[in-house]
Amino acid sequence: MIFVGVTRFSVYQPKSVEWIASKDKEKEAQQNDYLSYLYDEKRINYRLFTFIKLSLPLLAIGSRGFSYIHVVQYSSVMPTKFVKALKKAEAKYGFLKLVEVDTSERYERVWAAVREYFDTLKIEQKTAFGFFNLDDDDLLSIDYFKDASSYINNDRVGYYISFGRGGTGYFDFSKKVLESARYCYSPKINIGLMALSSFDGKNFY
């Protein structure tokens, strides 16, 4: 069973309409404000801690026994000290693949990295896989891969999986403690939203 994950780690794309932080940031002054906000020390340190210290260990445990690549997009303008932290994580986790992008790129380099990974698997016939999104400040359960695997097959290619039940709470960053944790249910939530896809050795579907 194959899984492909993608995380846009605070990607600087001022004209993107996909994310709240980037909408309508076309004027230079707005772009400068957006850039300062995006790479604010406190903001990025929180995301680095969440992604590297919390999210990646969960992904490592949950993906055991599966073929898995997780591509992380980061901006060419991201401060070097933050990039170094991501590269250190890449060296630790074999499934992690960093991809640098500029302000105009979409997912071209992501799919190039995925294609390179799939080539190592020597796929020659139509093979289903799960393609999911994970924000840099969200977490997935260690059961995520196991639960999703039962839905991944060629008959379901084109469908989406959304696990709406999960947990939420307030994270005290200074204490590194999760407080007020509780169950929640949000149907079709973006966290871990998975597209059932396939690859036949030449093309993705």
Side-chain angles (χ1 to χ4, degrees):
M1 192 66 64
I2 306 170
F3 290 92
V4 175
V6 175
T7 294
R8 289 167 55 88
F9 198 94
S10 296
V11 175
Y12 176 68
Q13 290 185 329
K15 296 182 181 181
S16 173
V17 297
E18 295 184 20
W19 314 101
I20 294 175
S22 60
K23 288 181 180 179
D24 302 322
K25 302 298 187 295
E26 295 187 3
K27 295 181 180 179
E28 184 176 353
Q30 291 177 318
Q31 291 182 19
N32 290 336
D33 289 343
Y34 168 42
L35 190 62
S36 296
Y37 160 78
L38 198 64
Y39 298 124
D40 173 76
E41 188 95 12
K42 184 177 180 180
R43 179 182 182 278
I44 292 296
N45 282 337
Y46 169 72
R47 279 162 171 74
L48 285 172
F49 176 84
T50 302
F51 187 66
I52 295 174
K53 299 296 184 181
L54 302 180
S55 185
L56 289 179
L58 293 174
L59 294 172
I61 294 172
S63 64
R64 289 174 182 167
F66 299 105
S67 297
Y68 175 43
I69 181 174
H70 196 103
V71 184
V72 176
Q73 289 179 297
Y74 71 95
S75 290
S76 56
V77 297
M78 177 180 278
T80 302
K81 60 182 177 181
F82 301 139
V83 176
K84 285 183 177 179
L86 291 175
K87 288 186 175 180
K88 185 177 179 180
E90 182 184 35
K92 180 177 180 179
Y93 295 98
F95 58 81
L96 203 62
K97 175 68 176 179
L98 296 185
V99 173
E100 182 183 290
V101 296
D102 62 31
T103 58
S104 62
E105 286 182 273
R106 298 283 292 168
Y107 292 95
E108 294 86 354
R109 296 196 201 185
V110 169
W111 284 112
V114 173
R115 177 60 183 265
E116 184 178 327
Y117 173 71
F118 273 57
D119 286 345
T120 68
L121 301 179
K122 301 187 183 303
I123 295 173
E124 298 180 351
Q125 60 185 6
K126 186 178 179 180
T127 303
F129 68 93
F131 178 87
F132 68 91
N133 172 73
L134 182 64
D135 287 349
D136 54 19
D137 58 350
D138 288 332
L139 306 175
L140 291 177
S141 163
I142 58 173
D143 295 324
Y144 175 78
F145 295 90
K146 176 176 66 67
D147 291 344
S149 65
S150 61
Y151 297 96
I152 300 175
N153 57 60
N154 288 329
D155 292 334
R156 291 195 173 101
V157 171
Y159 285 73
Y160 282 80
I161 300 174
S162 174
F163 295 115
R165 189 174 301 280
T168 186
Y170 170 74
F171 187 81
D172 188 326
F173 185 67
S174 62
K175 299 177 182 178
K176 303 294 189 297
V177 172
L178 179 66
E179 300 176 343
S180 302
R182 63 194 66 187
Y183 287 110
C184 65
Y185 179 62
S186 300
K188 301 178 182 178
I189 193 169
N190 185 58
I191 301 175
L193 181 65
M194 179 178 291
L196 301 185
S197 312
S198 69
F199 181 66
D200 64 5
K202 293 182 180 180
N203 300 303
F204 290 103
Y205 301 93

